[in-house]
Structures are given as structure tokens and as C-alpha cells.
Amino acid sequence: MHKAGIKTMLVDDEAYMLKLLAHQLGRLGFAALTTHTSGAAALQAFATPHGPPDLILLDLNMPQMDGIEFVRHLVDHGYAGSLILISGEDERMLQSASTLVRAHKISLLGHLQKPVPNEALAALLDTWAPRPARPARAVTVVHGADDLRGAIANGELVNYYQPKVALSDGRVVGVESLVRWRHPVHGLVFPDQFIELAEAHGLIDDLTRVVLRSALAQSRAWSDAGLKLRVAVNVSMDNLATLEFADFVAEKAARAGVEAGAIVLEVTESRLMNDLRAPLEVLTRLRLKRFGLSIDDFGTGNSSLTQLRNFPFDELKIDQSFVHGAVTDATRRAIFSGSLHLARELKMQVVAEGVEDRADWDFLRQSECDTAQGYFIARPMPADQLPQWLDDWGRRLPALLGHWSAAGR
Ligand code: C2E
Ligand code: MG
Ligand code: MG
């Protein structure tokens, strides 16, 4: 669609801001503009023959209906267009408002601080185009516990592996096993669709057993092929509720001919544990046997300082929500470096998750973080694709190490 035809609505209680913004948008080619000095007036315009706009620029601070409340009304109206938030508030306030808008599943192009710089506005709108029509809702298939039980028994669960690389020199130090369900009808199903289901229906022990068995066999195969990779496996807190788990893991590893030090168990607390005795015993014994223990998603509600105090973790994975975009976001950066220093004090290895682009990578390279993992480096892949990826990575690496390697990190 040509910019001139995009229905754009400006909502701000300050008339001169409306004028200014309208002028800025006009220069960018937006001609179908309406301006409103209150949320109520803007919502009334939804009911006119013009209908709802394609794009709304919304001020957060307005005397009667504030921007947050306005967003709630947008949700009630089933607003399908896009939104840009504008405010004189500080960055963190805008961040929270943005998080809220996204939680409401409204398409948010970004947020801008007043007075709005021309270049920032142009950058937000540069690549944006209105959605043609409301896309048909993707069918979400709800999987039942019996299906999952069958899948576990029939070998439909497969491990994908995502590399972890050393930030100092790009060396591949390990991989994380991430389970997928190869569903005969629905194709590849991701763990967020069935891990909770497994936990809720007492299937998580069976699931972990299958994942661990493949991961151990794979670890052995790589090691036989001369590849030294630490293999990480995600375990659920529910797995740690049975005291036998430590012996089970030790025995399976021994039988597969894999050293404890070559295996890492990643733990997140999916729900609050009332009784710490079993997980404490299991994790402490696993650590005594020299298995690696990693606290996953660190910094999120599920993974906290209390866990860090209680359990003998030797690796900390900083959650992706504090890694991706940390360069430009002061709050994320602060949480990232706080976590990093905490881990350093506790003599733990640190992995940054969610490295999605070059900016994330460069940021991490000049940090003290040990290891990186994320789509920028590699997506999770079946084991047989790893050799090809290793070749590709070797070719990409020189350009990614740049002058830092010369500085002898
Ligand atoms: P996790 O352990 O924190 O794993 C990282 C997740 O982030 C994976 O999602 C991975 O594909 C994704 N990821 C990796 N790099 C990036 C990136 O650059 N950007 C973004 N946005 N995401 C990235 P996945 O495979 O869908 O797994 C989701 C979660 O499911 C895992 O989070 C883990 O908690 C759980 N999970 C996976 N496999 C197992 C398993 O075998 N057992 C148990 N109990 N949980 C598992
Ligand atoms: Mg993990
Ligand atoms: Mg994680």
C-alpha cells in the first residue's frame, strides 16, 4: 500500500505535539491522518465510516484516559493494526508499556521518546507495511497425555542439538539437547507444547529417560569420532523429586561409556518446590559424581537467587531476555552484567542464551562472559547436521573474531 493511503491516527492531549507529529509524518509521506486530543475521542472515531486505523501513534500520558487504558480498549475492539508508543517518561517506563502491549498481542512497531526525532520515526516506519487482512488464526493443536505417552513409547521424540561456543576464540565447547516431537500428522512439535503436559501427567520421567538415552549415545558417537563436546540435557524439577535419579543418570552414563564431566544437566524451576530435600540430595550427589550442573534461564521468575544459594551449580545460563538487545537496552545490560558478576564471584561458568544477531555477539565478545548460544551461531539441529555446521562455522569465524583475538583476550 502506498504510504499516503495508510490510515494513521495520532492521539495526544497536547495539541502542539499533534501538530508536530502530523507534520513529521506528512514529510514521510503519510497523508491519511486524523488527530485526537483524548483516548475517548479516538475510540469514537473507530465507529465512523473510516473504521479503525492501520496505525496509531499513542501518547502514554494523557489526563483522562491514559495510554495504558486506551490499549485495553484497543484489545476490546479487536484492533488489528499497528501501534507506536510515545512518551516523555523514561526508557524503563516505555519498556514496561511495550511489554504490556506485546502481551496483549498488539503489533507494536516500537516506542519513541518525546520530542520524537525525525530519524527515529522514519526508521520505525521504514520497513513497516500494514497487515493485508487479519491472518487466519493458526490452528493450535492441543495434544493429549495419551498421545504423548504413545509418542514416548514409539520413539517419536528426537533430540535436536544447539551448539555452545567459547567467546574467546569461537571454539565449539558443547551442545544442548532440545527435545522435539516428530508428530506423524502435525510435523515437528516444540517442547513448549508438551513439557508441561508431561509434568502434569507423570510422564516427565519417561520423557527425560528417552532424551538422556539419546544424548548419551550421541555423546559417545561424537567422542568416538574425535569430537570433544559437552552434552547438556534439560531436566525438570519433577525429575529431581525421586531420589533414584542421581544413580539412574550415573548408571546410564557409565553404561554408555560417557564420563560424568562430559554431561551437563540444565535445571529450571518450573514450579515452586515445597520440599527441597529430594532435589538437594539428587543435585548434590550428581555434582559429587562430577556431572555439570547448570542453572537455566537465570534471572527469570523460575530461576532465582534462592536456587543459586541452595544448589551446587557450576554453570549459570543468563536468560535470553537479558542477552538479546542488551547493547541498546540499559535495563537488560544492567541485569546481564549483574548476573555475570554474581556468577564470577561464585566461580561459575557463564553461558549467554539468545544470541540472535551480530550486535549481541559483539557485545558479548567484549564482556567477561565465557560461552554463547543462540540463533546467530546456530539453530538447534539434528545430530547428523552438526559436521556440516562445524565446517560453516569454521569459515564464518575469522570475520567474527575480528580484532579481539589479536588483543589476546
Ligand atoms: P531452554 O532450555 O532455555 O532452551 C533454550 C530455548 O531457546 C530453546 O527452545 C532454543 O531453541 C531457544 N533458542 C535458542 N537460541 C535462541 C535465540 O537466539 N533466540 C530465541 N528467541 N530462542 C533461542 P526450545 O527448543 O523450544 O525449548 C524450550 C524449552 O523447553 C527449553 O528452554 C527447556 O526449558 C524445555 N526443554 C527442551 N527440551 C527439554 C527436555 O528434554 N526436557 C525438559 N524437561 N525440558 C526441555
Ligand atoms: Mg536449557
Ligand atoms: Mg534457557
Side-chain angles (χ1 to χ4, degrees), residues 296-297 319 353:
D296 205 349
D297 305 334
D319 190 68
E353 300 188 85

Side-chain angles (χ1 to χ4, degrees), residues 176-178 232-234 266-268 296-297 317 353 373:
E176 175 176 5
S177 321
L178 294 159
V233 172
N234 289 286
E266 296 191 3
V267 183
T268 25
D296 205 349
D297 305 334
K317 295 187 79 170
E353 300 188 85
Q373 179 181 353

Side-chain angles (χ1 to χ4, degrees), residues 205-252:
D205 280 339
D206 290 340
L207 184 145
T208 302
R209 221 166 279 167
V210 167
V211 168
L212 187 69
R213 195 204 303 131
S214 316
L216 286 169
Q218 193 54 61
S219 160
R220 178 63 199 256
W222 278 323
S223 139
D224 288 348
L227 263 180
K228 271 217 159 313
L229 294 174
R230 278 187 111 195
V231 178
V233 172
N234 289 286
V235 299
S236 155
M237 266 289 173
D238 288 1
N239 295 135
L240 308 176
T242 30
L243 290 174
E244 291 75 42
F245 189 71
D247 289 322
F248 171 78
V249 173
E251 191 214 321
K252 292 291 167 200

Side-chain angles (χ1 to χ4, degrees), residues 9-12 34-53 56 58 62 64-79 83 106:
M9 182 181 261
L10 312 181
V11 191
D12 195 316
T34 56
T35 59
H36 307 271
T37 50
S38 76
L43 288 170
Q44 268 169 22
F46 273 50
T48 66
H50 293 296
I56 302 175
L58 174 67
M62 295 185 291
Q64 289 104 21
M65 184 192 294
D66 61 52
I68 300 290
E69 194 183 347
F70 181 79
V71 166
R72 181 153 35 81
H73 288 288
L74 285 182
V75 177
D76 293 340
H77 277 79
Y79 178 62
L83 185 67
I106 288 182

Side-chain angles (χ1 to χ4, degrees), residues 176 234-237 240 265-273 276 283 293-311 313-322 335 338-340 342-343 346 348-349 351 353:
E176 175 176 5
N234 289 286
V235 299
S236 155
M237 266 289 173
L240 308 176
L265 302 171
E266 296 191 3
V267 183
T268 25
E269 192 173 27
S270 45
R271 77 179 96 97
L272 230 53
M273 295 297 286
L276 283 182
L283 290 179
L293 290 186
S294 181
I295 180 166
D296 205 349
D297 305 334
F298 187 75
T300 68
N302 296 335
S303 197
S304 60
L305 296 174
T306 312
Q307 276 201 332
L308 208 51
R309 183 199 60 197
N310 288 340
F311 300 120
F313 293 111
D314 61 327
E315 180 183 273
L316 182 149
K317 295 187 79 170
I318 303 181
D319 190 68
Q320 53 191 47
S321 57
F322 311 117
I335 297 172
S339 308
L340 186 63
L342 187 60
L346 298 172
M348 299 167 80
Q349 289 287 305
V351 182
E353 300 188 85

Side-chain angles (χ1 to χ4, degrees), residues 97-275:
S98 302
T99 306
L100 178 65
V101 170
R102 291 205 178 92
H104 279 309
K105 304 252 183 315
I106 288 182
S107 145
L108 181 72
L109 300 189
H111 56 248
L112 296 167
Q113 246 166 325
K114 281 185 187 178
V116 175
N118 278 322
E119 317 76 61
L121 184 63
L124 276 190
L125 292 169
D126 190 32
T127 53
W128 173 80
R131 288 189 263 191
R134 186 164 264 244
R137 212 170 254 287
V139 201
T140 39
V141 186
V142 179
H143 302 278
D146 287 337
D147 297 341
L148 182 58
R149 191 175 290 116
I152 296 171
N154 298 334
E156 288 172 22
L157 298 190
V158 292
N159 287 355
Y160 274 44
Y161 296 93
Q162 187 178 35
K164 299 179 177 178
V165 304
L167 281 154
S168 58
D169 55 7
R171 173 173 40 92
V172 183
V173 291
V175 293
E176 175 176 5
S177 321
L178 294 159
V179 67
R180 270 91 181 97
W181 177 358
R182 276 203 186 123
H183 196 288
V185 180
H186 304 303
L188 208 59
V189 182
F190 287 82
D192 58 333
Q193 305 282 309
F194 59 88
I195 294 293
E196 269 179 49
L197 184 71
E199 288 174 344
H201 290 85
L203 298 171
I204 195 71
D205 280 339
D206 290 340
L207 184 145
T208 302
R209 221 166 279 167
V210 167
V211 168
L212 187 69
R213 195 204 303 131
S214 316
L216 286 169
Q218 193 54 61
S219 160
R220 178 63 199 256
W222 278 323
S223 139
D224 288 348
L227 263 180
K228 271 217 159 313
L229 294 174
R230 278 187 111 195
V231 178
V233 172
N234 289 286
V235 299
S236 155
M237 266 289 173
D238 288 1
N239 295 135
L240 308 176
T242 30
L243 290 174
E244 291 75 42
F245 189 71
D247 289 322
F248 171 78
V249 173
E251 191 214 321
K252 292 291 167 200
R255 228 187 256 183
V258 174
E259 275 174 34
I263 298 297
V264 182
L265 302 171
E266 296 191 3
V267 183
T268 25
E269 192 173 27
S270 45
R271 77 179 96 97
L272 230 53
M273 295 297 286
N274 297 320
D275 190 348

